[in-house]
Amino acid sequence: MDCLFCKIVSGQIPAKLVHQGDSVIAFDDINPQAPTHVLIIPKKHFENVGELAANDPLALKELFIAAKEIAASRALAGYRTVFNTGAEAGQSVFHAHLHLIGGRALQWPPG
Ligand code: AMP
Ligand code: ZN
């Protein structure tokens, strides 16, 4: 399968890793939207968060615990966690990934 994030998991494509867990890894987003913009992904391939939740709920939980730990390690005053699902919602990589965004004041609602 030709999946960018599977290639990051396997090391075929380099990324700036910031966290590694049993079933997840986290790395810096290549096009950061805030001082902290980390992508936290399951090592196994799932197309989106719905598929991940249905098939590997433990990994889904690990993603959020990783977000909490990364935010704490950077002493973020607050942070946002986002899954985009489907192209209309802005999903461009079809391997489930949790955006962890923080380090600046964030607007609501998002665009
Ligand atoms: P989404 O648009 O929600 O699917 O998010 C995909 C994210 O992956 C975007 O924020 C991109 O900037 C990011 N991205 C794309 N290619 C890479 C890469 N090689 N390394 C790190 N992040 C990437
Ligand atoms: Zn993949």
Side-chain angles (χ1 to χ4, degrees), residues 60-79:
L60 178 60
K61 175 179 147 184
E62 246 196 75
L63 293 185
F64 281 104
I65 291 173
K68 175 174 103 89
E69 290 178 356
I70 295 164
S73 74
R74 297 178 181 203
L76 298 181
Y79 63 90

Side-chain angles (χ1 to χ4, degrees), residues 4-5 8 13-15 27-31 37 39 84 90-93 97 99:
L4 176 64
F5 287 176
I8 288 179
I13 290 180
F27 52 90
D28 283 334
D29 194 294
I30 206 168
N31 181 25
H37 187 171
L39 301 176
N84 296 322
Q91 187 176 7
S92 61
V93 178
H97 51 281
H99 292 261

Side-chain angles (χ1 to χ4, degrees), residues 1-7 9 41-46 93-96:
M1 190 193 329
D2 195 29
C3 169
L4 176 64
F5 287 176
C6 281
K7 288 180 180 164
V9 171
I41 73 171
K43 291 180 186 171
K44 279 201 249 168
H45 181 92
F46 298 99
V93 178
F94 291 83
H95 179 133

